[in-house]
Amino acid sequence: MSTIQFEHNEKAARLIAEHYEMPPLAYVHSYGCQQNVNDAEKIRGVLADVGFGICNGPEQADLILFNTCAVREHAEQRVFGNVGALKGLKEKKPGLIIGVCGCMAQQPAIVEKLKKSYPFVDLVFGVNSIDRLPEMICDRFEKAKRVVEMPGERTEMRTDIVEEIPIRRDSDFRAWLSITYGCDNFCTYCIVPYVRGRERSRRPADILAEFKALVAAGYKEITLLGQNVNSYGKGLEEKVDFADLLEMLCQVPGDYQIRFMTSHPKDASRKLMDTIAAHDKLCKHLHLPVQCGSDRVLKEMNRHYNKAQYLELIDYAKKTIPGVTFSSDIIVGFPGETEEEFEETLELVKKVGYMQLFTFIYSPRTGTKAAAMPDPFTHKQKADRMARLLKAQEEIAFELIGRQVGSTQRVLVEGHGRNEGTLNGRLDNNLVVEFTAPESLIGQWAQVKLTSARGAILLGELQA
Ligand code: SAH
Ligand code: SF4
Ligand code: F3S
């Protein structure tokens, strides 16, 4: 654990108070996974601490920060597009500070490109520098027009965890709680281990303290985050694994439920399934990304499980956890994946019966092993396979979702539905249901009778 340099906070607060007539506003936008969303909450916490107000759009902002994702090329292109679109705003408002942070800023080539082709970007920093933001703000006001950190310059591949970063959460009833950072798995297609660094687990006592504070503050849903939550505990002094951690958290009294993501199948244990089955507070839903259904491709992906082992795990979960549902990520068109191999994925998807599927066409990432593999199939062929996969999944989901109709279930009410007067809520299994109810129910539990299904969304009636 390391400590924040609090003297920079005070100095940054003073500089900001001197520089602006009115308290300035910051807009932080996140791309990518929940871990990034959670990081953005910390970035807002740090900014609020030094005197920024937080706003929900770029128009009023004095500081605009993009917290970026590098997982696929499309994600990066969107960021470059959105950053480019701010050029005009900056010309109109020269005092505007524009920043790019997060996973893209961990790649030297991207930082070079930002430096060279986006001169109106003032601030660039990576995923391990959130606690250093006040120091960078001081530099920006005192020394330089631009503060651009090259990855590796200061904090890259940090092996410690900073525990005291302030946080401004987006919701007052659903919370993200990171339990591990980084990833050691090096799946051959994936950039995450390169941009997020080595896997480290937070100490159980630190997690428990944050968890208890959330429960005491009335949070109803707490989602534990990590690239591979199932390897939680590796490298800690205490002998503790993910199932032990869940067991410990479930002992905290209160009115809440726990979700977690992501579970890597190679480390998902029977003990974990038994723990889920044993506790009402744990949602009966598993996001267990399989990526593909061919043993050869799984090996090339470096996933460390085969189809039979994966299906065995699913079977055990179905047997042990009544009503359990699954979701998964699939990559279509990994280099060299043949038509027959793709069909094995289709077959597996049908066999498991996922409630939701997150599907991606393979995107080569510079520096990863797969990016150097021969890739003879065209984008059109891959897009065609994707369409077939989506169609198959649509039928599966239709059937599974349809089976829920008629039951009455507890939902956590999350917000407004698409139709006037309706709210939406999430079932234990992550499905969304829409129903007519008063706004005051947002953030509360409700009993809802599921009456029909429209695509992936259920319609329901609030029960008294
Ligand atoms: N740690 C999580 C995944 C994080 S990335 C896990 O192992 O399950 C989220 C998803 O993005 C992955 O599951 C994968 O399906 C997809 N993905 C990652 N890299 C990709 C790439 N280069 N091209 C296409 N999809 C990719
Ligand atoms: Fe990427 Fe694999 Fe790590 Fe997930 S487990 S973040 S897919 S390397
Ligand atoms: Fe993207 Fe970084 Fe998450 S690359 S998926 S935001 S860890």
Side-chain angles (χ1 to χ4, degrees):
M1 200 168 100
S2 89
T3 345
I4 297 193
Q5 305 294 306
F6 281 107
E7 74 267 26
H8 290 295
N9 287 37
E10 279 166 29
K11 192 169 161 198
R14 186 166 41 77
L15 287 171
I16 285 166
E18 283 166 13
H19 186 83
Y20 296 97
E21 276 171 29
M22 302 269 285
L25 294 175
Y27 169 61
V28 186
H29 183 76
S30 240
Y31 302 79
C33 65
Q34 275 73 16
Q35 197 127 47
N36 248 22
V37 174
N38 190 218
D39 281 352
E41 294 181 324
K42 293 178 190 164
I43 293 171
R44 290 189 200 99
V46 172
L47 291 172
D49 237 30
V50 297
F52 278 93
I54 305 299
C55 59
N56 294 324
E59 297 80 17
Q60 309 300 320
D62 300 286
L63 168 66
I64 299 175
L65 208 48
F66 288 138
N67 190 27
T68 61
C69 170
V71 82
R72 282 171 292 276
E73 195 189 350
H74 179 71
E76 294 191 343
Q77 282 168 346
R78 256 178 61 210
V79 169
F80 279 120
N82 292 352
V83 173
L86 292 179
K87 197 175 170 197
L89 195 59
K90 176 89 172 197
E91 278 162 9
K92 269 195 260 156
K93 202 171 164 181
L96 175 67
I97 301 177
I98 297 174
V100 176
C101 61
C103 293
M104 278 172 74
Q106 289 293 129
Q107 296 168 287
I110 300 262
V111 177
E112 285 300 343
K113 181 170 169 178
L114 286 166
K115 246 171 140 174
K116 206 165 134 244
S117 310
Y118 296 80
F120 53 93
V121 172
D122 310 87
L123 209 56
V124 180
F125 60 94
V127 298
N128 296 317
S129 299
I130 297 176
D131 57 319
R132 293 193 43 253
L133 192 47
E135 189 183 340
M136 289 186 271
I137 290 173
C138 292
D139 284 350
R140 169 69 176 71
F141 282 120
E142 284 190 324
K143 298 184 199 153
K145 227 188 122 355
R146 305 182 84 189
V147 180
V148 178
E149 281 198 342
M150 278 312 279
E153 220 169 53
R154 295 286 302 255
T155 49
E156 203 214 5
M157 298 312 162
R158 202 164 175 163
T159 50
D160 59 349
I161 292 174
V162 184
E163 284 292 349
E164 312 93 325
I165 302 182
I167 184 160
R168 258 184 76 134
R169 296 187 189 273
D170 297 338
S171 160
D172 54 11
F173 58 92
R174 299 168 67 204
W176 311 111
L177 198 170
S178 294
I179 62 165
T180 69
Y181 298 97
C183 181
D184 284 350
N185 291 312
F186 289 94
C187 301
T188 53
Y189 50 81
C190 186
I191 195 75
V192 171
Y194 300 90
V195 294
R196 284 277 172 174
R198 297 293 56 75
E199 182 182 294
R200 29 308 152 217
S201 293
R202 286 177 72 192
R203 292 189 348 221
D206 291 327
I207 295 171
L208 185 62
E210 184 173 352
F211 188 89
K212 279 183 173 164
L214 288 168
V215 173
Y219 280 86
K220 298 244 174 350
E221 179 176 285
I222 298 166
T223 303
L224 310 178
L225 297 178
Q227 291 303 337
N228 174 8
V229 288
N230 296 334
S231 65
Y232 173 77
K234 234 173 40 186
L236 285 176
E237 271 167 34
E238 296 97 320
K239 211 178 146 341
V240 53
D241 65 15
F242 183 53
D244 299 333
L245 180 74
L246 288 175
E247 187 72 49
M248 181 181 89
L249 297 177
C250 285
Q251 304 308 320
V252 175
D255 181 25
Y256 61 84
Q257 64 183 18
I258 300 178
R259 296 186 188 277
F260 53 85
M261 63 192 303
T262 295
S263 276
H264 193 307
K266 83 177 166 70
D267 298 312
S269 61
R270 291 189 166 205
K271 180 178 168 191
L272 172 66
M273 308 299 173
D274 296 343
T275 307
I276 297 172
H279 291 283
D280 289 344
K281 290 192 161 7
L282 298 175
C283 287
K284 307 297 177 238
H285 177 81
L286 273 170
H287 182 61
L288 207 56
V290 69
Q291 309 300 354
C292 78
S294 141
D295 285 348
R296 187 196 70 83
V297 178
L298 282 170
K299 199 154 198 285
E300 290 289 301
M301 287 178 163
N302 195 31
R303 289 292 285 180
H304 292 282
Y305 54 84
N306 59 33
K307 182 166 72 178
Q309 287 164 329
Y310 183 86
L311 287 172
E312 203 188 313
L313 199 60
I314 294 277
D315 264 357
Y316 186 78
K318 283 181 180 170
K319 265 201 300 227
T320 326
I321 312 166
V324 68
T325 57
F326 303 96
S327 59
S328 191
D329 296 347
I330 302 274
I331 294 178
V332 172
F334 182 81
E337 181 189 61
T338 64
E339 171 61 26
E340 292 71 32
E341 286 165 343
F342 166 70
E343 280 167 16
E344 284 191 76
T345 300
L346 271 184
E347 207 180 289
L348 178 131
V349 162
K350 289 178 190 161
K351 208 167 205 165
V352 176
Y354 295 107
M355 199 66 103
Q356 291 132 332
L357 213 50
F358 303 90
T359 52
F360 311 101
I361 289 188
Y362 168 73
S363 168
R365 306 281 64 210
T366 310
T368 62
K369 230 172 164 182
M373 295 178 184
D375 191 0
F377 293 92
T378 63
H379 183 77
K380 189 174 172 313
Q381 284 169 310
K382 295 182 182 189
D384 171 63
R385 288 180 192 171
M386 176 66 114
R388 285 155 62 202
L389 175 62
L390 290 176
K391 187 160 178 297
Q393 174 57 23
E394 203 177 299
E395 284 165 21
I396 296 163
F398 184 77
E399 146 92 27
L400 287 175
I401 294 169
R403 272 194 229 159
Q404 309 270 318
V405 172
S407 64
T408 297
Q409 299 194 30
R410 186 179 83 153
V411 306
L412 179 58
V413 186
E414 293 186 346
H416 293 278
R418 292 162 309 171
N419 294 312
E420 183 91 28
T422 65
L423 300 180
N424 63 34
R426 205 171 283 272
L427 308 181
D428 201 44
N429 61 26
N430 242 342
L431 285 177
V432 174
V433 58
E434 238 178 60
F435 50 96
T436 305
E439 212 174 22
S440 58
L441 266 188
I442 294 176
Q444 308 293 324
W445 302 112
Q447 289 291 333
V448 176
K449 181 168 187 201
L450 310 176
T451 49
S452 65
R454 220 52 53 92
I457 294 189
L458 286 153
L459 303 181
E461 278 166 14
L462 181 68
Q463 305 296 290

